[in-house]
Amino acid sequence: MSWGTELWDQFDSLDKHTQWGIDFLERYAKFVKERIEIEQNYAKQLRNLVKKYCPKRSSKDEEPRFTSCIAFFNILNELNDYAGQREVVAEEMAHRVYGELMRYAHDLKTERKMHLQEGRKAQQYLDMCWKQMDNSKKKFERECREAEKAQQSYERLDNDTNATKADVEKQLQEMDERRTIKLSECYRGFADSERKVIPIISKCLEGMILAAKSVDERRDSQMVVDSFKSGFEPPGDFPFEDYSQHIYRTVSDGTISASKQESGKVDAKTTVGKAKGKLWLFGKKPKGPALEDFSHLPPEQRRKKLQQRIDELNRELQKESDQKEALNKMKDVYEKNPQMGDPGSLQPKLAETMNNIDRLRMEIHKNEAWLSEVEGKTGGRGDRRHSSDINHLVTQGRESPEGSYTDDANQEVRGPPQQHGHHNEFDDEFEDDDPLPAIGHCKAIYPFDGHNEGTLAMKEGEVLYIIEEDKGDGWTRARRQNGEEGYVPTSYIDVTLEKNSKGS
């Protein structure tokens, strides 16, 4: 089978067929180019998606701790790797398929153009021969010999031109067959470029599955408990006393007993109603400024904060101690070798370092005192407060200067308690003005400004009388010698109680 013999008269058809083959090759190259753009856009969108949902870690406190968060971040990492593999597919297609197709199409166009030019020259030469044959025929009658020579010449030229055109068509056949082979190779490369990355993509997907399986809901729940545990004991049963059996209707509504009974009845309901919506444990937390000793926090959280601060202060103290040691060594070197420096120039830095060390030690001592107070109160706080306040749950609440209020004896308050007990109009008229007797004395370890209502300001080293012990809320009621009374923080004073003391 040869195009030169079987298609010797279909030169125009072969011209159109070879042009169609090159157009088809360029169309497939365009398809590969669009597939590459799709892969690149897909990879870019995947990376933007990963970047969008990756956390911006501005500090170590925001690092993920929950296994669900860690699994999600692992999935994002695997998805980022998956996007990289899609980019590898696009690069492989661009290098092996698209680039090769474009180069090969250019070569085919050049070769086809050369072959067509040779074919057109042969066709022109054949046309010229046909014209010579016509002229020879016209001269046949006149010059037979010349006609015979012309016929011989025609036959020779016809055979030669046919041979030349057959060679051209054979070359066109070889070119088209090479084009078909190249397309077959590109088909295989198109599939191989993606088949190579399938194992890596499978590993990425397996990593996503492993990350999903690593989610531990119980561990996350335990981390929530450890993060937000307050240390408070759950509230006990709310005591209830039936007052209806003590209420009797009287004929006269103007008697003192009826007024006192009616007033007590209304105040009890009002007190319970107010307390019902102000429970700290199950309601909203009282708002207030953050205190230096973290006394506004629940015991467990306060203990964690104090321990964290002590660790930070110890690290700073170690740095200052190391710096002091280095300065002393440098000072010894300067004293032994004066040409290296002046020892007196290091004295201000040494003094500053010593002041920092003393300050840090005082801070550590103060925070350790608060920590020991918290650890000492955690175990017995509920028992102390329950024994003193259990009989006043219904008719008496406790209120702090910041406005925190609770009717549960086991709840922590943020400020000193106020003496707002339940009383009626007759209690105001017959109130006893005698001061409470002193049960001991105390000495202020730290100064206290006492800005809040109901507190008592004191200076460091000042001696005060104790008229009411700490009920477990961190406040002690004290009195100055001039008779001024108020609450002071128990952790700020050194208390000395007097046994069997009836007065100051």
Side-chain angles (χ1 to χ4, degrees):
M1 179 188 67
S2 175
W3 287 6
T5 56
E6 297 182 4
L7 301 177
W8 63 272
D9 58 345
Q10 299 296 325
F11 186 79
D12 294 335
S13 299
L14 294 178
D15 183 7
K16 294 180 181 179
H17 175 73
T18 52
Q19 181 63 39
W20 173 85
I22 294 176
D23 293 339
F24 182 78
L25 184 68
E26 291 179 344
R27 184 181 181 186
Y28 176 70
K30 185 177 179 181
F31 162 76
V32 173
K33 181 181 178 181
E34 292 182 359
R35 171 64 188 275
I36 291 170
E37 292 176 354
I38 290 173
E39 292 291 342
Q40 291 175 345
N41 293 333
Y42 180 52
K44 183 178 179 181
Q45 291 177 359
L46 287 178
R47 290 192 183 277
N48 291 336
L49 181 64
V50 172
K51 183 178 179 181
K52 178 180 179 181
Y53 286 94
C54 275
K56 298 180 180 179
R57 302 179 181 175
S58 58
S59 63
K60 293 183 178 179
D61 295 336
E62 297 181 2
E63 292 182 357
R65 298 172 298 169
F66 302 107
T67 57
S68 57
C69 297
I70 295 174
F72 178 63
F73 296 148
N74 291 335
I75 290 174
L76 291 179
N77 291 333
E78 296 294 341
L79 188 59
N80 191 44
D81 295 340
Y82 179 82
Q85 296 306 313
R86 303 315 305 183
E87 291 176 346
V88 171
V89 171
E91 292 175 359
E92 187 71 14
M93 288 183 180
H95 178 70
R96 289 192 54 187
V97 180
Y98 181 72
E100 185 68 20
L101 284 175
M102 295 305 295
R103 288 191 297 270
Y104 192 75
H106 181 267
D107 295 338
L108 284 180
K109 288 181 179 179
T110 304
E111 184 178 358
R112 176 179 175 277
K113 184 177 181 181
M114 182 184 65
H115 293 325
L116 290 177
Q117 288 177 354
E118 294 178 356
R120 288 190 182 94
K121 288 180 181 180
Q123 186 68 35
Q124 291 176 0
Y125 186 71
L126 182 61
D127 293 340
M128 184 182 67
C129 292
W130 278 103
K131 288 180 181 180
Q132 290 179 359
M133 186 188 67
D134 291 336
N135 292 331
S136 298
K137 285 182 178 181
K138 290 178 181 180
K139 294 179 181 181
F140 178 74
E141 295 177 351
R142 294 177 303 170
E143 300 178 352
C144 183
R145 293 179 181 178
E146 292 180 1
E148 292 177 355
K149 292 180 180 180
Q151 181 66 28
Q152 293 176 0
S153 177
Y154 162 75
E155 291 176 357
R156 178 175 58 82
L157 292 175
D158 184 66
N159 292 331
D160 293 339
T161 53
N162 286 334
T164 303
K165 190 171 75 170
D167 292 339
V168 172
E169 293 175 349
K170 184 178 181 181
Q171 293 175 357
L172 289 174
Q173 178 185 1
E174 292 177 356
M175 182 194 72
D176 191 74
E177 290 177 353
R178 290 201 308 271
R179 176 189 61 81
T180 306
I181 293 173
K182 178 58 70 173
L183 280 175
S184 176
E185 294 175 356
C186 292
Y187 291 159
R188 289 195 296 269
F190 179 80
D192 289 340
S193 61
E194 186 170 359
R195 186 180 63 181
K196 288 181 179 179
V197 300
I198 287 178
I200 302 177
I201 294 175
S202 299
K203 290 183 179 180
C204 294
L205 297 176
E206 290 177 0
M208 295 181 186
I209 295 174
L210 290 176
K213 291 182 179 179
S214 64
V215 176
D216 189 350
E217 68 281 1
R218 294 190 177 274
R219 181 180 176 186
D220 292 351
S221 300
Q222 186 61 37
M223 291 178 68
V224 173
V225 172
D226 296 338
S227 299
F228 303 107
K229 183 179 180 181
S230 66
F232 288 128
E233 294 293 334
D237 295 337
F238 196 92
F240 176 77
E241 183 176 354
D242 189 5
Y243 290 96
S244 61
Q245 59 185 353
H246 301 294
I247 300 175
Y248 300 96
R249 295 184 178 273
T250 58
V251 178
S252 175
D253 294 337
T255 60
I256 295 178
S257 59
S259 299
K260 291 183 68 177
Q261 187 175 3
E262 188 70 23
S263 175
K265 180 179 178 182
V266 173
D267 290 344
K269 290 182 178 180
T270 304
T271 305
V272 175
K274 290 181 179 179
K276 186 179 297 182
K278 298 183 179 179
L279 292 177
W280 182 5
L281 184 59
F282 301 103
K284 294 183 179 179
K285 244 184 176 180
K287 297 181 179 179
L291 302 179
E292 183 182 7
D293 59 349
F294 300 111
S295 59
H296 61 288
L297 297 176
E300 185 67 20
Q301 302 296 328
R302 183 185 180 192
R303 183 186 64 79
K304 291 181 180 179
K305 290 289 185 180
L306 289 173
Q307 186 62 50
Q308 183 179 0
R309 181 188 289 175
I310 291 172
D311 294 339
E312 293 176 356
L313 292 173
N314 283 326
R315 287 193 293 270
E316 294 180 6
L317 180 61
Q318 183 63 36
K319 291 181 181 178
E320 295 293 338
S321 300
D322 295 341
Q323 186 175 1
K324 174 187 173 184
E325 184 178 356
L327 290 173
N328 287 329
K329 290 181 180 179
M330 189 179 297
K331 184 178 180 182
D332 293 339
V333 173
Y334 287 173
E335 290 176 351
K336 294 179 182 179
N337 302 306
Q339 68 275 9
M340 297 183 65
D342 183 15
S345 62
L346 301 176
Q347 191 62 34
K349 190 64 176 177
L350 275 171
E352 181 182 355
T353 304
M354 291 299 297
N355 291 334
N356 291 337
I357 291 176
D358 294 339
R359 177 181 58 80
L360 290 173
R361 286 176 178 171
M362 291 179 62
E363 289 290 333
I364 291 173
H365 177 72
K366 183 168 62 174
N367 283 275
E368 286 178 348
W370 290 335
L371 180 61
S372 61
E373 174 194 353
V374 174
E375 292 176 348
K377 287 183 178 181
T378 303
R381 174 174 298 175
D383 296 338
R384 292 200 305 268
R385 299 188 63 184
H386 185 74
S387 61
S388 60
D389 296 337
I390 191 64
N391 295 325
H392 303 281
L393 289 175
V394 178
T395 60
Q396 182 174 356
R398 306 188 66 182
E399 188 173 352
S400 65
E402 287 88 348
S404 61
Y405 185 92
T406 176
D407 61 346
D408 192 346
N410 291 324
Q411 300 299 318
E412 186 74 19
V413 295
R414 294 188 178 183
Q418 299 289 332
Q419 297 298 321
H420 297 299
H422 171 66
H423 57 274
N424 51 31
E425 298 176 358
F426 298 100
D427 293 334
D428 295 336
E429 295 178 3
F430 300 104
E431 184 178 4
D432 190 3
D433 294 331
D434 294 337
L436 296 175
I439 59 175
H441 64 277
C442 65
K443 183 178 180 181
I445 304 175
Y446 310 106
F448 179 64
D449 51 12
H451 289 322
N452 296 327
E453 181 182 358
T455 59
L456 181 64
M458 62 181 180
K459 300 179 180 178
E460 184 177 356
E462 185 178 358
V463 178
L464 304 172
Y465 293 113
I466 302 297
I467 60 177
E468 185 178 342
E469 288 187 74
D470 184 0
K471 301 295 185 181
D473 50 14
W475 297 90
T476 301
R477 190 175 180 183
R479 180 196 300 137
R480 283 202 180 93
Q481 294 182 0
N482 59 3
E484 186 179 358
E485 297 180 1
Y487 286 90
V488 296
T490 307
S491 59
Y492 281 39
I493 57 176
D494 184 11
V495 180
T496 302
L497 297 179
E498 299 176 1
K499 297 181 179 180
N500 300 325
S501 177
K502 299 296 185 181
S504 59

